[in-house]
Amino acid sequence: MTAPAVKTKTPPAAASADDAPLYEARRQIYPQSVRGRLRTIKWIVLAVTLGIYYFLPFVRWNRGPGAPDQAVLIDFPARRFYFFFIEIWPQEFYYVAGLLILAALILFLMNAVAGRVWCGYLCPQTVWTDLFMAVERLIEGDRRQRMVEDAGPWTLDKFAHKLMKHSVWLLIAWWTGGAWVLYFADAPTLVHELATFQAPTVAYVAIFTLTFTTYSLAGHMREQVCTYMCPWPRIQAALTDEYALNVTYRYDRGEPRGSVKKAAAARAEGKPAGDCIDCHQCVNVCPTGVDIRQGLQLACIQCGLCIDACNNIMDKVDRPRGLIAYESEANLEARVAGKPPVRRIVRPRTILYTALIVFAGGLMLFTLANRANEGLNAIHDRNPLFVKLSDGSLRNAYTLRLINKDLAERGFILTATGVPGATLSVVGTEGGPEGEVVTVGPDQTREVRVLLTTKDRLAPGTSLPVTFQIRDQKSGATATAVDHFIGP
Amino acid sequence: MSTAHDSHDGAVDTATGVSTTGHEWDGIRELNNPLPRWWLWVFYATIVWAFGYWVLYPAWPLISSHTTGLLGWNSRSAVAMQLQDLQALRAETSMRLTNASLEEIEKTPDLLSLARAEGRVAFADNCAPCHGAGGGGAKGFPNLNDDDWLWGGTLADIQQTITHGIRSGDDEGHQGNMTPFGGVLSKADISAAADYVLSLSGAGPADTPSAKKGAAVFAANCAVCHGADGKGKQELGSKNLTDGIWLYGGDKATIMQTITNGRGGVMPAWAGRLSPTTIKALTVYVHTLGGGQ
């Protein structure tokens, strides 16, 4: 098997520091295609995540009249976030904070169980890069063909291949940016507007920006994003421990490495021989170009493609699989020391993360299920704190904000308790037989100015707690807010 | 420890096979891992970007001015354009406010909140320095939250006062002063009148000899404006002396000072400075502070 003459850029000889370059050109990586269990999982994850991303905006959800019927919608003008049956208001932004906390905890748990499994399978950078590599492979061929073509002179074929590849890349990138903006407006309408150049400028700017970033990050930057830009490899190293499963080369089984024939001869003579035949398949298939046999390293995203590649080779040379496998450092050391294997998925770290996830998720679900469809906030006037009227009575003024999350207009009866002899009036409404009634439109808030007056003489320095309550005229649902009535 | 560039010894780190830079701190040597070249080009690109920016946008201070940039952009005109856009955006709702009567505005919930929102901002910009952030007033500056109005507290009265002011020099503005009685009445008479005024508001006894003497002084000199019962006359802007609300203070010394020297605070006329629509919004805002009649 002779390799074609390929000009590969070798790392500069590190003989002298003075000769070493200050800046290094990127070494092109030509990942080879591979088949296997983990590769299949990666294809499935890719299809599912990208499928969700590209098509979710088109999923409809009937919320009744007056509300958008898009299942997932970030409605900035109306300041609402819709997620299927959930509707988040701006003052409920803590749900978003809760989701971020939950996401971080899940990331920690994944890390404690299986290292950088996020990087290898779920990270958008990995998923899109994988897709772009698949396109590249389809158009320009596999590793060897691409290397030959890139090293050779420009031909019509090469030009056609490159043009085709970049066109498809840009098309995917453009669709990626296009799908993004659909989350911020009614998708079918926006698609029509975009096609007829009626869409708002910000949509075109967002599409252009995301097209550019997708094209450059997934097409050109690739593994450099992970090694130079991403903070996670740095943080991850501080969060992991010796029991986490990482893609690991079992050097105790693999070394000393050598050709199949040499290994067979050594075994026949009873000399030590490793299972690694130094075929470099694990390096060739690696999307970040690392040699896993050098141990854990920053650039390794632990996608496990080297496991698939190595297993295929082991099958061919008739050696057991798993020379490269998801393995914990503790287990590796135990095996080297001849001790029984260590399998510790359940340990304080994972228990703690799981408990925190359950707690945070449960808390969010509980508050979500029990949140009221009405709310009330009260703010006391600060200047003046109180007013003396000409008949000697005393008055405090408040700004009340009534919140109605129902999709229908509601009337609320407003009452205040806590101040003896106090009468309540709302500026701009006329009290009915039931007292002061404030109507709030569907899915809206309304701010009203409320005056609380008492003829009772209060002792100097008095401050009485006041409870404002709103009660739905129909359903009787209530919400309260507490403030103070301040005397002279 | 060695300083930079004095000992590029070319040593190679055995663990990684990477050459070292020759820098050493406490036995730790720095590996020579070069930065990627694209990083370098990004750095150059930012420099080129800066040059472009200097040429296109206002950037460099000169002795008495600054470079204006080829695009002619400046932040002031950008703000002006944004304001124009905003006004265009608000034109429709603003027109509703302009066309509706004051009573209509107060009865329509969305117009009311619109007027109050606009009025609150206009109040903070123009009125708050004297009347306080919430209209709480100060000595000599009326509290707008109470129900004591020198010139009337109906919507029309408030609009008139804001538009034309008080003793502002505007012909249609409110006129009328509290006359100084220092040269007219003796100090004893002034003291007696003050005692009587205190008794009117319930802040002092009415049956003392001084207060009784003051009643006569009041009838002869003050009742013309403040009324025989001391309840004041709105058309003259004369104060109601029977309530417990005082513009300048309700203690005897202050009342004597008021009688002796007179009073005449000024409220500027806002016509010409504020648009009629803004004055409308201000009127509604002030009226709904709580003191409106």
Side-chain angles (χ1 to χ4, degrees):
Chain A
M1 196 169 79
T2 50
V6 172
K7 273 191 286 175
T8 46
K9 288 175 189 155
T10 49
S16 157
D18 286 328
D19 296 339
L22 279 172
Y23 296 94
E24 195 175 28
R26 180 195 177 204
R27 261 168 271 150
Q28 181 72 38
I29 294 165
Y30 296 92
Q32 189 175 311
S33 68
V34 60
R35 281 168 195 278
R37 195 160 52 93
L38 297 173
R39 178 66 263 185
T40 310
I41 294 174
K42 266 171 76 72
W43 283 133
I44 293 169
V45 171
L46 183 144
V48 170
T49 51
L50 288 187
I52 290 172
Y53 174 74
Y54 286 123
F55 296 107
L56 192 56
F58 295 99
V59 176
R60 303 287 97 184
W61 192 267
N62 187 15
R63 292 190 180 84
D69 55 357
Q70 184 157 321
V72 178
L73 179 67
I74 300 157
D75 192 350
F76 273 125
R79 296 181 198 85
R80 297 282 184 279
F81 171 59
Y82 300 97
F83 186 84
F84 294 96
F85 60 94
I86 302 171
E87 182 188 332
I88 303 279
W89 284 45
Q91 59 264 50
E92 294 169 323
F93 198 75
Y94 48 77
Y95 283 118
V96 178
L99 272 182
L100 290 175
I101 292 169
L102 218 53
L105 287 170
I106 291 170
L107 189 63
F108 293 169
L109 179 65
M110 286 200 302
N111 175 50
V113 171
R116 279 164 64 181
V117 66
W118 163 263
C119 298
Y121 296 85
L122 289 159
C123 176
Q125 174 65 20
T126 291
V127 171
W128 262 285
T129 301
D130 233 11
L131 181 67
F132 274 50
M133 282 177 175
V135 169
E136 191 173 57
R137 201 171 288 132
L138 208 68
I139 295 169
E140 295 188 351
D142 210 350
R143 173 179 159 86
R144 203 165 294 276
Q145 278 164 279
R146 290 206 303 275
M147 288 168 85
V148 171
E149 195 170 73
D150 276 6
W154 278 94
T155 62
L156 208 59
D157 250 14
K158 180 174 171 177
F159 179 75
H161 284 156
K162 295 283 178 199
L163 184 71
M164 180 88 168
K165 177 178 84 173
H166 289 284
S167 305
V168 176
W169 277 1
L170 279 170
L171 209 67
I172 297 171
W174 165 77
W175 195 14
T176 306
W180 177 263
V181 300
L182 298 183
Y183 284 91
F184 298 87
D186 184 58
T189 315
L190 186 58
V191 168
H192 183 256
E193 285 176 352
L194 283 168
T196 53
F197 297 102
Q198 304 285 311
T201 317
V202 63
Y204 293 105
V205 172
I207 292 174
F208 173 80
T209 310
L210 280 157
T211 304
F212 174 75
T213 50
T214 309
Y215 172 71
S216 47
L217 291 183
H220 296 279
M221 304 292 288
R222 294 191 172 173
E223 81 288 346
Q224 300 186 90
V225 176
C226 312
T227 40
Y228 295 115
M229 298 176 173
C230 180
W232 181 231
R234 281 93 183 156
I235 303 166
Q236 184 268 347
L239 285 171
T240 193
D241 64 6
E242 68 269 35
Y243 296 109
L245 291 171
N246 283 310
V247 174
T248 308
Y249 166 65
R250 287 171 172 153
Y251 58 88
D252 59 312
R253 218 191 98 184
E255 302 295 323
R257 51 182 100 147
S259 73
V260 185
K261 278 177 192 166
K262 272 186 197 164
R267 274 193 203 97
E269 289 174 33
K271 285 183 188 163
D275 281 347
C276 176
I277 60 166
D278 215 5
C279 65
H280 275 84
Q281 278 303 298
C282 55
V283 181
N284 290 350
V285 300
C286 180
T288 64
V290 302
D291 187 345
I292 192 63
R293 295 171 301 172
Q294 288 171 0
L296 275 177
Q297 47 208 292
L298 183 136
C300 171
I301 59 167
Q302 303 200 2
C303 58
L305 292 185
C306 51
I307 297 178
D308 280 343
C310 190
N311 282 343
N312 293 344
I313 296 295
M314 288 298 112
D315 288 351
K316 279 183 190 154
V317 300
D318 210 18
R319 301 295 301 166
R321 288 178 158 219
L323 178 58
I324 304 174
Y326 276 101
E327 172 83 291
S328 71
E329 206 182 308
N331 201 25
L332 193 66
E333 276 168 17
R335 275 156 39 83
V336 171
K339 288 176 187 159
V342 187
R343 292 255 179 269
R344 283 189 61 192
I345 296 291
V346 181
R347 50 188 201 274
R349 191 185 282 260
T350 52
I351 293 170
L352 179 69
Y353 290 149
T354 313
L356 284 174
I357 289 168
V358 170
F359 175 72
L363 195 70
M364 280 171 64
L365 276 178
F366 179 79
T367 53
L368 199 64
N370 289 293
R371 65 178 179 163
N373 268 341
E374 54 281 316
L376 182 65
N377 296 319
I379 306 170
H380 194 287
D381 261 19
R382 283 164 299 178
N383 176 2
L385 279 172
F386 61 87
V387 178
K388 248 178 132 171
L389 300 181
S390 46
D391 65 355
S393 52
L394 201 63
R395 189 171 69 198
N396 278 208
Y398 306 83
T399 303
L400 297 190
R401 182 183 283 275
L402 289 79
I403 302 162
N404 173 22
K405 292 180 189 168
D406 265 5
L407 290 173
E409 188 181 84
R410 293 160 88 187
F412 292 106
I413 302 161
L414 179 64
T415 52
T417 49
V419 183
T423 52
L424 179 140
S425 69
V426 179
V427 172
T429 67
E430 285 151 33
E434 292 176 291
E436 290 287 354
V437 175
V438 184
T439 53
V440 188
D443 203 37
Q444 276 176 16
T445 65
R446 184 172 167 195
E447 210 176 75
V448 290
R449 189 172 162 81
V450 169
L451 307 171
L452 204 56
T453 315
T454 179
K455 284 201 155 100
D456 282 24
R457 299 275 169 194
L458 298 178
T462 308
S463 172
L464 298 168
V466 183
T467 307
F468 292 100
Q469 190 196 53
I470 52 169
R471 186 161 52 84
D472 191 330
Q473 277 180 310
K474 284 188 191 125
S475 71
T478 60
T480 56
V482 179
D483 211 312
H484 284 83
F485 189 90
I486 293 166
Chain B
M1 189 188 134
S2 60
T3 50
H5 302 298
D6 65 351
S7 62
H8 280 198
D9 51 7
V12 174
D13 179 62
T14 46
T16 56
V18 177
S19 69
T20 64
T21 59
H23 302 167
E24 189 176 327
W25 293 272
D26 296 339
I28 299 167
R29 280 173 300 156
E30 185 187 6
L31 297 183
N32 184 21
N33 279 317
L35 276 168
R37 191 168 285 158
W38 59 259
W39 190 95
L40 181 73
W41 285 111
V42 169
F43 177 57
Y44 289 155
T46 60
I47 295 172
V48 173
W49 176 275
F51 276 104
Y53 196 95
W54 292 339
V55 173
L56 294 176
Y57 287 95
W60 288 97
L62 303 175
I63 290 165
S64 62
S65 67
H66 57 84
T67 59
T68 51
L70 289 180
L71 291 183
W73 184 93
N74 68 66
S75 51
R76 183 175 286 271
S77 59
V79 168
M81 271 172 67
Q82 283 175 351
L83 275 176
Q84 257 176 18
D85 290 350
L86 190 70
Q87 271 159 6
L89 195 72
R90 286 181 177 171
E92 200 181 324
T93 39
S94 185
M95 274 309 281
R96 288 181 60 206
L97 217 54
T98 309
N99 294 334
S101 76
L102 287 165
E103 285 75 17
E104 276 166 11
I105 293 172
E106 224 166 59
K107 276 185 190 135
T108 319
D110 62 327
L111 278 181
L112 176 67
S113 56
L114 188 70
R116 272 184 55 80
E118 192 180 336
R120 177 162 37 223
V121 176
F123 191 88
D125 284 348
N126 302 289
C127 318
C130 294
H131 289 285
K139 183 176 176 177
F141 303 103
N143 181 346
L144 304 173
N145 289 266
D146 63 26
D147 60 346
D148 199 23
W149 293 91
L150 291 171
W151 299 99
T154 64
L155 280 166
D157 289 338
I158 295 172
Q159 190 181 33
Q160 155 75 18
T161 304
I162 297 174
T163 312
H164 300 293
I166 300 162
R167 294 175 281 267
S168 59
D170 187 315
D171 290 344
E172 293 172 60
H174 295 304
Q175 306 297 335
N177 287 298
M178 165 80 196
T179 322
F181 284 88
V184 182
L185 296 174
S186 69
K187 200 159 186 190
D189 282 350
I190 290 173
S191 173
D195 278 333
Y196 177 68
V197 168
L198 276 173
S199 76
L200 279 178
S201 68
D207 49 1
T208 59
S210 175
K212 280 177 184 159
K213 182 188 163 199
V217 176
F218 187 88
N221 298 284
C222 316
V224 183
C225 294
H226 289 283
D229 53 2
K231 287 202 166 164
K233 287 177 185 168
Q234 211 166 76
E235 63 273 20
L236 299 172
S238 62
K239 196 196 169 310
N240 179 355
L241 302 171
T242 60
D243 61 27
I245 299 168
W246 300 90
L247 185 54
Y248 291 93
D251 57 298
K252 189 175 172 188
T254 310
I255 294 171
M256 280 179 68
Q257 197 186 27
T258 304
I259 300 172
T260 310
N261 301 321
R263 297 288 186 188
V266 172
M267 153 119 176
W270 294 94
R273 296 203 232 181
L274 300 177
S275 75
T277 311
T278 307
I279 290 180
K280 242 176 175 177
L282 261 177
T283 303
V284 172
Y285 177 74
V286 169
H287 191 249
T288 55
L289 279 176
Q293 287 165 348

